[in-house]
Amino acid sequence: MNTKRNVTIYDIAKLSGFSPKTVSRVVNGEQNVKKSTFEKVTKVINELNYIPNTYARSLINKTKNNVLISIQSTEQFPIKWIHILLEKITIECRKHGLNIMVEYHEPTESLENSILSSSSSFIGAAVIFYEAINDKRIRFLKEKEIPFIVFGKSSMADVLYVSNNDYEALFNLGKYLVERKLKKLVMLIALETLVNKDRVRGVQDAFRAEGLDVDNIEVVYNIVTIEDTYRYCKNMFTKFNLPDAIFVSGDEKVIGLNRAFFELDIKIPEDVSVIGFDNIPFAEYYSPSLTTIGQDYVGLSKEIVDRLIHLIAGNTELSSIELSTELIIRESVK
């Protein structure tokens, strides 16, 4: 009885020295394969008389349509703006026949039991939220040759990202505040990330452009949660030591500020003006309604999905992009 086993792409990968993913690209005639790689893999294919299995090829094509969104968990969850953006990305993916999987990953946990690791062979591309320094998710994706995008500015020059233009957003806010004679600003910000550094730099440059000393801006990092915001405002402010305005990096955290100021009998905007970031739907219904910087959720989702489609097709000649935001004026600024 003939028990000869069929040749697989894993056999070809082992003999050629390339990954199964690279062999798969050669077998499927993709364009993003180096000529030398193509020739070496093709030589092994011919030597083994490998014939692609039609069903296997069908599975490969289906795998390409699977997109994993990996979100690194932080203390500030749940975050409404992420849910809004995920909804817009999902809608955009459906238009192009892409399937979405979402995974929340604890930064201290191993990737061993994650969807990213356990199901990597079924992932065609990925989107990374909250890139960390030496991010193990990114290392893993590079090793497995799975194309990916980072949402938010990346610290790595070779990583493709889609982001808000945070510098421009806060530069415009700084100009607006100075025009309204609001010259002393406190910024309540989460972690010292590239995104938040851009926000600080934007306001500082706006103040400089208007001839104001940047010492008028006080930056407070590590205000991560609603509770952090509440405790800081309750402990640090009174009616007699308020700045002209407070910027809170995240609309949801303004809830903590509002509670603290209610208890301290501090009025918004009569005593101090308040500005948020994200334009989540219920920010309009705060009392007073919140002036905030609105993300272009639809535009961001389209740019993310457009790049995913190109990456899945093998096009690596892509550039990162930063989208403009909108300053939405409401009642919380006097």
Side-chain angles (χ1 to χ4, degrees), residues 42-55:
T42 302
K43 183 173 182 291
V44 176
I45 287 173
N46 292 335
E47 288 173 353
L48 297 178
N49 294 317
Y50 172 72
I51 300 173
N53 182 288
T54 304
Y55 176 67

Side-chain angles (χ1 to χ4, degrees), residues 56-80:
R57 179 173 287 184
S58 172
L59 287 178
I60 290 169
N61 289 333
K62 287 179 180 176
T63 294
K64 286 182 180 180
N65 292 336
N66 294 331
V67 173
L68 175 68
I69 298 180
S70 176
I71 303 173
Q72 183 164 277
S73 298
T74 73
E75 294 178 64
Q76 56 189 353
F77 279 98
I79 305 176
K80 183 62 178 175

Side-chain angles (χ1 to χ4, degrees), residues 265-276:
D265 194 29
I266 293 171
K267 307 297 184 186
I268 304 170
E270 293 86 351
D271 298 324
V272 60
S273 294
V274 177
I275 309 95

Side-chain angles (χ1 to χ4, degrees), residues 69-78 103-116 129-130 132 135-137:
I69 298 180
S70 176
I71 303 173
Q72 183 164 277
S73 298
T74 73
E75 294 178 64
Q76 56 189 353
F77 279 98
E103 176 173 45
Y104 291 88
H105 174 70
E106 291 291 339
T108 56
E109 287 183 356
S110 165
L111 290 179
E112 185 177 353
N113 297 318
S114 67
I115 295 175
L116 178 59
F129 277 69
Y130 291 113
D135 199 306
K136 53 190 158 189
R137 297 170 298 170

Side-chain angles (χ1 to χ4, degrees), residues 57-323:
R57 179 173 287 184
S58 172
L59 287 178
I60 290 169
N61 289 333
K62 287 179 180 176
T63 294
K64 286 182 180 180
N65 292 336
N66 294 331
V67 173
L68 175 68
I69 298 180
S70 176
I71 303 173
Q72 183 164 277
S73 298
T74 73
E75 294 178 64
Q76 56 189 353
F77 279 98
I79 305 176
K80 183 62 178 175
W81 74 261
I82 282 187
H83 297 161
I84 298 170
L85 184 55
L86 287 180
E87 178 188 11
K88 302 303 182 187
I89 292 173
T90 301
I91 291 170
E92 196 64 26
C93 281
R94 284 175 183 163
K95 293 178 185 177
H96 300 279
L98 298 176
N99 307 310
I100 287 287
M101 299 177 284
V102 179
E103 176 173 45
Y104 291 88
H105 174 70
E106 291 291 339
T108 56
E109 287 183 356
S110 165
L111 290 179
E112 185 177 353
N113 297 318
S114 67
I115 295 175
L116 178 59
S117 175
S118 62
S119 304
S120 61
S121 58
F122 297 100
I123 297 171
V127 183
I128 300 295
F129 277 69
Y130 291 113
E131 175 195 286
I133 297 172
N134 300 318
D135 199 306
K136 53 190 158 189
R137 297 170 298 170
I138 290 177
R139 287 203 307 272
F140 181 87
L141 289 163
K142 286 182 174 181
E143 288 169 5
K144 295 294 182 180
E145 298 185 353
I146 299 172
F148 68 93
I149 300 171
V150 165
F151 176 75
K153 200 167 186 178
S154 175
S155 61
M156 290 175 269
D158 64 337
V159 168
L160 187 69
Y161 69 84
V162 174
S163 178
N164 295 300
N165 190 329
D166 291 281
Y167 172 86
E168 177 190 73
L170 272 291
F171 184 89
N172 292 339
L173 173 61
K175 287 185 64 178
Y176 171 75
L177 294 176
V178 174
E179 287 168 2
R180 300 184 76 82
K181 311 300 181 186
L182 304 174
K183 300 177 181 179
K184 288 190 68 68
L185 173 68
V186 171
M187 302 181 73
L188 303 183
I189 292 180
L191 304 180
E192 205 167 346
T193 61
L194 285 177
V195 164
N196 286 329
K197 287 179 180 179
D198 272 358
R199 292 179 182 181
V200 171
R201 192 165 52 86
V203 171
Q204 289 175 337
D205 285 354
F207 273 46
R208 288 191 188 99
E210 298 296 326
L212 291 179
D213 194 323
V214 295
D215 286 344
N216 286 315
I217 303 166
E218 180 183 356
V219 181
V220 183
Y221 283 109
N222 297 313
I223 306 298
V224 177
T225 65
I226 292 172
E227 183 178 359
D228 290 340
T229 311
Y230 168 78
R231 292 191 181 280
Y232 183 86
C233 293
K234 185 71 184 289
N235 294 330
M236 298 303 295
F237 295 120
T238 70
K239 274 201 169 190
F240 308 103
N241 70 342
L242 289 168
D244 296 326
I246 300 174
F247 168 75
V248 183
S249 192
D251 289 352
E252 283 174 89
K253 288 185 283 187
V254 175
I255 296 170
L257 177 148
N258 284 345
R259 180 65 194 181
F261 283 1
F262 172 78
E263 294 175 6
L264 293 167
D265 194 29
I266 293 171
K267 307 297 184 186
I268 304 170
E270 293 86 351
D271 298 324
V272 60
S273 294
V274 177
I275 309 95
F277 195 107
D278 293 330
N279 192 32
I280 57 177
F282 47 80
E284 183 179 359
Y285 299 98
Y286 285 3
S287 182
S289 59
L290 182 64
T291 293
T292 185
I293 296 168
Q295 301 189 57
D296 180 2
Y297 294 106
V298 172
L300 289 168
S301 65
K302 286 182 177 179
E303 294 293 349
I304 289 169
V305 174
D306 179 68
R307 280 161 178 72
L308 287 174
I309 291 167
H310 280 284
L311 288 172
I312 290 169
N315 177 13
T316 57
E317 299 299 315
L318 301 169
S319 59
S320 298
I321 188 170
E322 297 180 21
L323 270 64

